[in-house]
Amino acid sequence: MTKALVSVKGLTKHFLMPTGGLFNRTVTQIRAVDGVDFDIAPGETFGLVGESGCGKTTTGRLILRMIQATSGSVSFNGEALLTLSDDEMRTRRQQMQIIFQDPYGSLDPRMTVSQIVEEPLRIHRIGDRATRARRVTELLDVVGLRKEYTHRYPHEFSGGQRQRIGIARALALNPKFIVADEPVSALDVSIQAQIVNLMMDLQKELGLTYLFIAHDLGVVKHMADRVAVMYLGRIVEIASKASLYGSPQHPYSQALLAAVPIARPSVRQKLTVLSGEIPSPSRPPAGCHFHTRCPQALPRCAQETPTLQEVRPGHQAACHLLAPIAQ
């Protein structure tokens, strides 16, 4: 088995939020990420999907240590990241970058394209001014932008062009691993395919590894090699793209896939209907977090937390309805 480039074990993030009371001393705990485990192999695109608020973005930022984890571990290329000092982590970030969801909000409107793309090189003191200028021109060419754009500002570009600038910035330090946080969700559908295809071409050319965070299952199907489904801070299913889309095992995954629009509406599909609202992460249900909306829930689902286990070869799910395969 290929050694993982990124390994996440028991990753947890609980935010403390004031809820009022005298001097705001009363607080509640928001369980944004609640014990997440997965590995990402070198060169792989690992998709992370789920409804808004399930903890996808928080997971990506925890891996990069943009926010600090409550508990758990993250290793990159065999090295534990959560125990590194800030200075040590700064050097590791040359190999780990992020593409943000909002291609406009993530770019400083007061900086030119040249300054934006060059900034990582300046921060890490790589090359002199002339070397960095050549690198900026090279990166713009790689993402399909003309060198004449270097002195323009973000507001002068379309959404797709801004995201290309964000990708160029992420590539500046030659990273091995990129967290792509909903990189096409803010773009027009006509532009989404261009950006996804660009990212796939760059992956082949540069040997990149992606954590691809999205709620659009159609985009993930086109992009990912393996997919993890997240619900209320927990991973409920992990499988290869073919296995997950062809035969989802967890009731939540089945519901998500049944809701995806299909090209031939005349072909009817069996829907898994979900009832009720998504519980608050400050008061998640006991046992399986999904049992309050699951049409197949058993009495034990409200009491026992299911563990992620292999239910088919290479296919893991956390559900009391499913029996693990014999080891």
Side-chain angles (χ1 to χ4, degrees), residues 54-128:
C54 71
K56 307 185 299 296
T57 292
T58 302
T59 299
R61 296 188 177 210
L62 287 170
I63 291 173
L64 299 181
R65 261 185 63 178
M66 296 174 69
I67 54 179
Q68 296 299 316
T70 301
S71 62
S73 66
V74 177
S75 64
F76 177 77
N77 213 14
E79 180 180 37
L81 297 182
L82 303 189
T83 58
L84 296 178
S85 68
D86 290 344
D87 287 340
E88 290 171 331
M89 189 63 202
R90 179 187 290 265
T91 62
R92 305 309 186 275
R93 286 203 175 98
Q94 294 186 39
Q95 302 180 60
M96 307 169 67
Q97 294 293 308
I98 185 169
I99 301 170
F100 294 97
Q101 176 179 357
D102 183 355
Y104 187 70
S106 64
L107 304 178
D108 190 331
R110 299 165 299 179
M111 297 173 68
T112 65
V113 170
S114 177
Q115 292 170 330
I116 289 170
V117 177
E118 183 190 3
E119 186 176 30
L121 299 170
R122 287 192 293 102
I123 290 174
H124 290 275
R125 300 177 181 177
I126 296 175
D128 55 23

Side-chain angles (χ1 to χ4, degrees), residues 53 69 142 180 210 244:
V142 165
Y210 291 134
L244 182 75

Side-chain angles (χ1 to χ4, degrees), residues 17-327:
M17 302 291 289
T19 57
L22 185 62
F23 304 116
N24 276 334
R25 288 180 179 174
T26 305
V27 297
T28 186
Q29 197 174 69
I30 307 296
R31 296 174 177 268
V33 178
D34 201 15
V36 165
D37 300 308
F38 58 80
D39 293 330
I40 306 177
E44 180 181 34
T45 297
F46 186 82
L48 186 58
V49 304
E51 294 169 290
S52 296
C54 71
K56 307 185 299 296
T57 292
T58 302
T59 299
R61 296 188 177 210
L62 287 170
I63 291 173
L64 299 181
R65 261 185 63 178
M66 296 174 69
I67 54 179
Q68 296 299 316
T70 301
S71 62
S73 66
V74 177
S75 64
F76 177 77
N77 213 14
E79 180 180 37
L81 297 182
L82 303 189
T83 58
L84 296 178
S85 68
D86 290 344
D87 287 340
E88 290 171 331
M89 189 63 202
R90 179 187 290 265
T91 62
R92 305 309 186 275
R93 286 203 175 98
Q94 294 186 39
Q95 302 180 60
M96 307 169 67
Q97 294 293 308
I98 185 169
I99 301 170
F100 294 97
Q101 176 179 357
D102 183 355
Y104 187 70
S106 64
L107 304 178
D108 190 331
R110 299 165 299 179
M111 297 173 68
T112 65
V113 170
S114 177
Q115 292 170 330
I116 289 170
V117 177
E118 183 190 3
E119 186 176 30
L121 299 170
R122 287 192 293 102
I123 290 174
H124 290 275
R125 300 177 181 177
I126 296 175
D128 55 23
R129 182 176 297 180
T131 302
R132 293 196 295 266
R134 287 194 297 270
R135 177 63 174 158
V136 169
T137 302
E138 174 188 312
L139 288 166
L140 292 181
D141 182 63
V142 165
V143 300
L145 294 175
R146 293 183 293 185
K147 65 180 180 180
E148 293 82 32
Y149 293 164
T150 54
H151 300 297
R152 294 186 183 181
Y153 291 86
H155 72 271
E156 300 180 74
F157 296 92
S158 67
Q161 289 174 320
R162 290 176 194 143
Q163 196 59 292
R164 289 175 187 267
I165 296 168
I167 293 172
R169 177 178 59 186
L171 296 175
L173 298 172
N174 292 315
K176 294 181 179 179
F177 174 62
I178 293 179
V179 174
D181 184 12
E182 302 266 14
V184 299
S185 65
L187 306 177
D188 292 340
V189 174
S190 59
I191 305 300
Q192 289 182 2
Q194 297 178 21
I195 298 301
V196 167
N197 289 336
L198 171 64
M199 292 180 64
M200 294 177 71
D201 290 342
L202 291 172
Q203 184 176 36
K204 293 177 182 177
E205 294 172 14
L206 305 176
L208 298 171
T209 302
Y210 291 134
L211 171 61
F212 191 86
I213 299 169
H215 65 270
D216 187 330
L217 293 173
V219 173
V220 173
K221 184 178 183 180
H222 183 68
M223 184 83 182
D225 300 303
R226 286 190 304 138
V227 182
V229 181
M230 197 168 188
Y231 181 80
L232 210 60
R234 294 177 180 172
I235 300 291
V236 298
E237 189 162 3
I238 300 178
S240 68
K241 174 174 61 179
S243 185
L244 182 75
Y245 283 81
S247 183
Q249 297 296 297
H250 196 281
Y252 178 62
S253 304
Q254 294 168 2
L256 286 182
L257 289 169
V260 175
I262 57 176
R264 295 173 60 195
S266 59
V267 179
R268 296 190 177 274
Q269 49 187 339
K270 184 178 179 181
L271 295 178
T272 301
V273 180
L274 301 182
S275 61
E277 299 293 328
I278 301 175
S280 169
S282 65
R283 295 183 299 276
C288 174
H289 283 177
F290 186 61
H291 82 265
T292 58
R293 303 175 69 202
C294 180
Q296 306 174 57
L298 303 172
R300 67 182 294 203
C301 298
Q303 302 170 0
E304 302 175 27
T305 302
T307 58
L308 200 62
Q309 54 193 352
E310 197 169 25
V311 295
R312 300 174 62 192
H315 194 138
Q316 295 178 293
C319 182
H320 293 309
L321 298 167
L322 304 170
I325 61 175
Q327 298 297 322

